[in-house]
Amino acid sequence: MTASTQALRQALIAGERRALSRAITLVESTRPDHRAQATALLSSLTAETGGAMRIGLSGTPGVGKSTFIESFGMQLIERGRKVAVLAVDPSSTIAGGAILGDKTRMERLVRARNAFIRPSPSGGALGGVARRTREAILLCEAAGFDTVLVETVGVGQSETTVAQMTDMFLLLLAPAGGDELQGVKRGVMEIADIVVINKADGDMKAAAVRTRADYASALRLFRPRTGEASGYPMALTASALEESGLEDVWSALETLDSARRASGFHSRRRETQAQQWFDAALEAHLMTAFREKTDLATLRAQVTAGTLTPDTAAEQGVSAFLEHR
Ligand code: GDP
């Protein structure tokens, strides 16, 4: 480890937010020398990590994620917790993608001493984003944050990815206008531990109460997972704007967290997460090495031209790679 990385490590462990920012920038970098320092830093921090309550949070744009994180985060800080907010946004590479972890929308939290907010990194495939987020979680833990909220937008694969790196998953929904369940993908319902019907205030309160009841029955159809506290997955109502119902969300999270700790669910999940992380890292490293050693562009061109079948091209690529070791 270089002297500057060593200094960064000290400042990070001392809980300096600027050091945490710099460390996250380091793990986000793809420059080989940065990567080497990031790896050295992370390896030196294993004893300092794993302590936080890792909470995944998802919902479609406009449902109130930023508002919820701000209100909920402030309440947690009042309870004496240290809250880090990370964002996973696979759409940020696309122009007009949702803005996650938007600091301008979390004004109070940004100023709070015991909060840290990191907007989503732009660029890169979901695989890369996932790796960087996993590493950022570890860095937040090393910096003493005991609650890490990982925000993602309700599109496809990203929830599953976030669920794999967190302990519990919150899904935010808006009150439904009609009587049918909103177009929530089944997969997202399956990973949600707590469904929060947000905007349960003013004109929308009655609709929110109805929507909650609909989801409570829908969730009952999903079998409780092994080692779970009874009553989960659960549906609640809240108003991020009026800051009501947030205590219930927190106590539901705490209850689930204790139950999962007692049953060994958490440690089993962390083991699975470590394995999944290893698999993903292995794949990423193999692909990087593969790209360096073989002429992927030519193989691709041959597949496009139809001179090679995709399978043959893959086979030839791997043979060439192995010969070049
Ligand atoms: P995000 O895109 O999911 O992060 O949603 P935002 O937090 O930016 O909120 C989108 C809009 O919904 C904003 O105009 C918020 O003021 C509003 N909003 C958020 N939470 C609530 C709530 O609990 N009640 C009401 N009435 N409006 C809310």
Side-chain angles (χ1 to χ4, degrees):
M1 201 189 299
T2 62
S4 71
T5 308
Q6 184 66 42
L8 182 61
R9 180 181 185 277
Q10 293 304 331
L12 179 75
I13 291 174
E16 285 176 28
R17 283 185 297 183
R18 277 193 48 218
L20 177 54
S21 283
R22 280 177 40 223
I24 295 179
T25 303
L26 187 65
V27 303
E28 284 175 356
S29 171
T30 48
R31 254 176 60 179
D33 57 328
H34 288 171
R35 216 37 238 149
Q37 286 309 307
T39 308
L41 176 65
L42 288 162
S43 310
S44 78
L45 291 170
T46 39
E48 330 288 333
T49 61
M53 199 190 261
R54 303 174 183 173
I55 305 166
L57 183 139
S58 176
T60 47
V63 74
K65 291 182 297 301
S66 309
T67 314
F68 182 89
I69 291 170
E70 161 112 331
S71 305
F72 191 61
M74 288 308 294
Q75 288 202 0
L76 295 186
I77 284 167
E78 278 159 30
R79 285 174 194 274
R81 297 193 72 98
K82 290 188 74 179
V83 181
V85 180
L86 302 172
V88 178
D89 186 0
S91 66
S92 62
T93 45
I94 305 157
I99 309 152
L100 294 177
D102 183 356
K103 290 185 177 185
T104 59
R105 294 192 292 172
M106 298 181 193
E107 283 178 3
R108 283 181 298 153
L109 206 56
V110 163
R111 287 196 304 268
R113 204 164 52 86
N114 284 333
F116 174 83
I117 301 172
R118 182 76 174 191
S120 53
S122 57
L126 180 58
V129 175
R131 199 237 332 124
R132 296 188 296 222
T133 308
R134 281 195 190 95
E135 294 179 350
I137 292 175
L138 298 176
L139 294 172
C140 291
E141 290 177 338
F145 288 88
D146 58 15
T147 314
V148 182
L149 282 167
V150 186
E151 178 192 12
T152 184
V153 73
V155 286
Q157 185 58 29
S158 64
E159 282 81 11
T160 319
T161 307
V162 171
Q164 283 173 357
M165 58 178 88
T166 53
D167 302 321
M168 294 175 286
F169 202 89
L170 286 179
L171 174 65
L172 250 59
L173 293 173
D179 54 1
E180 89 272 34
L181 298 184
Q182 298 158 71
V184 178
K185 292 191 195 69
R186 193 189 155 87
V188 180
M189 288 281 279
E190 277 170 353
I191 57 174
D193 296 305
I194 301 170
V195 172
V196 180
I197 315 298
N198 188 36
K199 308 197 181 183
D201 49 47
D203 291 349
M204 287 179 286
K205 181 143 191 184
V209 170
R210 270 199 312 277
T211 308
R212 193 210 70 82
D214 290 345
Y215 275 95
S217 3
L219 287 168
R220 243 170 260 135
L221 299 173
F222 294 95
R223 278 196 19 241
R225 284 154 244 164
T226 45
E228 291 287 70
S230 64
Y232 293 86
M234 179 184 281
L236 297 169
T237 57
S239 166
L241 204 63
E242 294 186 349
E243 309 199 6
S244 61
L246 304 178
E247 300 84 357
D248 292 345
V249 174
W250 177 242
S251 78
L253 281 169
E254 274 195 310
T255 306
L256 183 59
D257 189 55
S258 316
R260 284 185 171 172
R261 271 180 210 288
S263 69
F265 180 96
H266 273 328
S267 44
R268 281 197 303 278
R269 179 174 257 199
R270 291 272 164 108
E271 281 164 21
T272 312
Q273 284 169 356
Q275 289 305 320
Q276 284 165 337
W277 189 348
F278 171 65
D279 289 348
L282 195 58
E283 243 167 68
H285 284 289
L286 272 174
M287 274 314 284
T288 307
F290 188 85
R291 280 200 194 91
E292 279 166 11
K293 299 271 159 60
T294 57
D295 187 1
L296 207 53
T298 303
L299 286 171
R300 277 196 198 286
Q302 286 173 312
V303 170
T304 314
T307 48
L308 282 182
T309 67
D311 217 58
T312 314
E315 228 176 88
Q316 285 192 6
V318 172
S319 302
F321 172 64
L322 291 175
E323 277 162 24
H324 274 92
R325 256 180 321 158

